[in-house]
């Protein structure tokens, strides 16, 4: 496609039975248009009785938006594991038990559960910019609170700072699929969603790697406090910079929608969308309920492995805090590669069930191999098995999001993603506590076998998913979905929106 030209008119949207003839014409960019606003895909939609013209466009700014989101997601997820990966060091500095330090990670999971529903409601009602501002502001505040907590008697203060960061996470985790739908075209959304999740994974990877480097296990408490304060100051500086960038440049949505479905969504008044009704519809969706269960089992196992990794490695390889961090880095970096590959694969093949089942089964196999090789005494073996585990287990994250979108069309992405993440947090807390107790009493092998059992159960349940997906089938038919709405006026407003060539809902996102 020419950079100076765009594609032709695809079709019309009419609000009554007097459908005008479809006209095709070419659109040229004016010489004064900025490079950022240059059109990559241009389709005119003429509404009968309305002189205005709505244009579908893809903007280059969309990549900056998703990368900025990934950056502040990275900063937040880094802090999830920064205590747990040097568990033994923080135990000695603050004079608390190992289980107490485990709660510095689990508080991220616990906070998510009660706050996800009001935050998802805010995302639907207030939009992306407000949620991004609140997320980065709370993350920034939490980092500066932790800067003031570098004293052995101020554990409560550092817990408060971690709580603020965990609350910020609630405003972050449901955004990748929403950003993808609002800013990206129908052939890019899985890739965009993977990039959004990529930032979270990269933050966890850095959280595994950097704390053991910045905070060595030294005996002198004053020197240890100095190293901890350096780590906290660096985190606070990055969080502050990202907050300022969001304030200055983060945009709610593009001026013109990226897909036909998004153009249609903008025509529906906000008051006609019921968040409560959407939740109830999702909870009556049996395939989605099954996905909530299996997603929670898989991601909950990942949270448990990440939280307890330091304890598992130190038990078999004493004094290897640095390598424990590197093993965690290997898990997440391999998972990031898996996430991107899965996102690109889904965009091209749409084989959601087959891909999800294959990745789930390989997560089970990877966990089984990791469990039986951890105690062999060879760190290089642990690096290999941990990398294989991470490739599939962490690579499953964007798969779950996109599968949820398929099963719940045309509900809002933020709502379905929120429920999936809520399940993951619940299982993460349960698995972390249970595996920690099993490791204390029976060793690491028994603890890892405990997780393998639930991954096997999740694999079996994944095999029972339906092969029919609402959104993908709708795209193949090129016909808008016929779906009941609990709020009067929404269904009637959609009845008149039809396209002569049945391409209205060729785009992939929802009517909310």
């Amino acid at each position: 496609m020419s950079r100076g030209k765009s594609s032709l008119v695809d079709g019309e949207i009419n609000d009554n039975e007097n459908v005008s003839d479809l006209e095709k014409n070419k659109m040229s960019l004016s010489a004064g248009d900025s490079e950022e606003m240059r059109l990559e895909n241009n389709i005119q939609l003429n509404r009968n009785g309305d002189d205005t013209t709505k244009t579908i466009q893809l903007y280059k700014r969309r990549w900056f938006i998703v990368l900025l989101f990934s950056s502040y997601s990275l900063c937040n997820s880094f802090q999830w594991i920064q205590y747990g990966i040097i568990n033994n060091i923080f135990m000695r500095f603050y004079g608390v038990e190992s289980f107490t330090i485990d709660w510095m990670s689990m508080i991220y999971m616990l906070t998510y559960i009660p706050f996800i529903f009001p935050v998802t409601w805010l995302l639907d009602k207030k939009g992306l910019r407000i949620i991004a501002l609140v997320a980065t502001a709370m993350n920034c505040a939490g980092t500066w609170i932790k800067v003031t907590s570098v004293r052995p008697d101020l554990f409560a203060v550092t817990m408060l700072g971690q709580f603020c960061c965990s609350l910020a996470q609630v405003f972050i985790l449901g955004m990748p699929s929403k950003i993808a739908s609002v800013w990206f075209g129908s052939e890019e959304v899985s890739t965009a969603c993977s990039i959004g999740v990529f930032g979270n994974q990269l933050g966890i990877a850095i959280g595994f790697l950097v704390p053991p480097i910045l905070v060595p296990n030294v005996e002198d408490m004053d020197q240890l406090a100095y190293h901890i304060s350096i780590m906290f100051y660096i985190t606070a500086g990055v969080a502050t910079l990202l907050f300022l960038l969001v304030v200055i440049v983060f945009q709610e949505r593009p001026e013109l929608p990226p897909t036909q479905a998004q153009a249609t969504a903008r025509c529906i008044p906000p008051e006609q969308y019921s968040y409560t009704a959407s939740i109830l519809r999702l909870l009556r969706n049996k395939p989605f309920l099954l996905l909530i269960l299996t997603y929670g089992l898989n991601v909950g196992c990942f949270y448990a492995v990440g939280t307890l990794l330091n304890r598992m490695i130190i038990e078999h390889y004493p004094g290897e805090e640095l390598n424990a961090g590197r093993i965690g880095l290997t898990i997440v970096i391999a998972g990031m590669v898996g996430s991107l590959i899965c996102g690109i694969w889904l965009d091209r093949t749409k084989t959601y069930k087959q891909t999800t089942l294959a990745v789930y089964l390989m997560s089970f196999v990877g966990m089984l191999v990791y469990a039986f090789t951890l105690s062999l005494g060879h760190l290089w073996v642990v690096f290999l098995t941990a990398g294989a585990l991470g490739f599939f287990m962490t690579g499953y994250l964007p798969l779950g999001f996109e599968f949820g979108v398929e099963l719940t069309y045309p509900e809002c992405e933020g709502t379905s993603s929120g429920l999936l993440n809520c399940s993951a947090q619940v299982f993460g807390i349960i698995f972390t506590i249970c595996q920690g107790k099993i490791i204390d009493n029976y060793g690491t092998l028994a603890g890892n076998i405990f997780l393998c059992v639930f991954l096997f159960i999740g694999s079996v349940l994944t095999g029972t998913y339906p092969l029919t997906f609402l959104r993908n089938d709708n795209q193949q038919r090129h016909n808008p979905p016929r779906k009941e709405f609990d709020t009067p006026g929404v269904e009637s407003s959609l009845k008149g929106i039809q396209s002569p060539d049945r391409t209205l809902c060729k785009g992939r996102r929802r009517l909310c």
Side-chain angles (χ1 to χ4, degrees), residues 109 112-113 116 172-176 295-296 299 303 397 401 416-426:
M109 310 173 205
Y112 190 89
I113 298 168
I116 178 54
I172 293 173
L173 287 186
M175 288 184 68
Y295 184 87
V299 182
Y303 287 160
L397 295 174
F401 281 142
S416 60
S417 298
L419 289 172
L420 290 174
N421 280 321
C422 188
S423 173
Q425 314 306 318
V426 171

Side-chain angles (χ1 to χ4, degrees), residues 13 142 233 408 431 457:
I13 295 178
Y233 269 114
T408 61
F431 288 164
I457 294 172

Side-chain angles (χ1 to χ4, degrees), residues 181-377:
S181 70
V182 170
W183 281 91
F184 288 82
S186 59
E187 300 303 317
E188 301 171 330
V189 283
S190 291
T191 303
C193 188
S194 294
I195 293 173
V197 176
F198 179 92
N200 182 272
Q201 295 172 341
L202 183 58
I204 296 172
I206 297 173
F208 278 122
L209 178 66
V210 173
I213 296 174
L214 294 179
V215 187
N217 192 4
V218 296
E219 295 297 328
D220 184 81
M221 294 296 285
D222 290 335
Q223 190 177 3
L224 185 57
Y226 169 77
H227 289 302
I228 293 174
S229 67
I230 290 295
M231 179 174 68
F232 286 165
Y233 269 114
I234 292 174
T235 309
V238 173
T240 303
L241 174 62
L242 291 170
F243 171 64
L244 294 175
L245 283 174
V246 168
V247 170
I248 296 170
V249 302
F250 196 92
Q251 188 176 334
E252 169 66 29
R253 65 181 187 179
E255 181 181 352
L256 299 167
T259 62
Q260 292 175 317
Q262 278 295 309
T264 306
R266 294 189 184 188
C267 298
I268 301 176
E271 61 271 12
Q272 291 186 338
Y273 170 72
S274 171
Y275 175 69
T276 303
S278 177
I279 290 287
L280 293 176
R281 283 194 296 270
L282 290 177
L283 294 179
R284 292 193 296 265
N285 185 331
K286 292 182 180 179
F288 181 64
L289 290 178
L290 186 60
L291 177 63
I292 288 177
L293 177 60
T294 56
Y295 184 87
L297 291 173
N298 190 298
V299 182
C301 287
F302 168 70
Y303 287 160
V305 170
T307 301
L308 301 174
L309 183 63
N310 173 269
R311 292 171 60 181
M312 289 190 282
I313 298 300
I314 294 301
E315 178 172 329
H316 295 288
Y317 307 93
E320 294 288 353
E321 291 90 358
L322 190 57
N323 274 320
R326 290 169 179 166
I327 291 170
L329 174 71
T330 302
I331 291 174
V332 182
I333 292 295
M336 288 159 51
V337 175
S339 294
L340 291 176
I341 291 175
C342 288
I344 295 171
W345 175 259
L346 286 183
D347 274 335
R348 294 185 177 181
T349 67
K350 309 300 181 185
T351 54
Y352 291 89
K353 176 177 177 177
Q354 297 89 332
T355 304
T356 303
L357 178 59
V359 171
Y360 215 122
L361 282 171
M362 293 308 298
S363 297
F364 164 68
V365 173
M367 189 70 212
L368 202 62
V369 174
Y370 170 79
F372 283 99
T373 58
L374 180 61
S375 60
L376 293 181

Side-chain angles (χ1 to χ4, degrees), residues 57-96:
Q57 294 188 15
L58 293 177
Y59 298 93
K60 287 187 175 181
R61 176 183 285 265
R62 70 191 187 279
W63 297 110
F64 180 77
I65 294 294
V66 74
L67 289 175
L68 179 57
F69 166 77
S70 292
S71 297
Y72 71 74
S73 177
L74 178 156
C75 181
N76 180 262
S77 61
F78 164 81
Q79 297 172 82
W80 166 61
I81 203 64
Q82 71 177 158
Y83 292 91
I85 196 58
I86 47 175
N87 184 297
N88 56 323
I89 296 175
F90 276 110
M91 280 174 57
R92 185 163 59 85
F93 182 77
Y94 285 112
V96 296

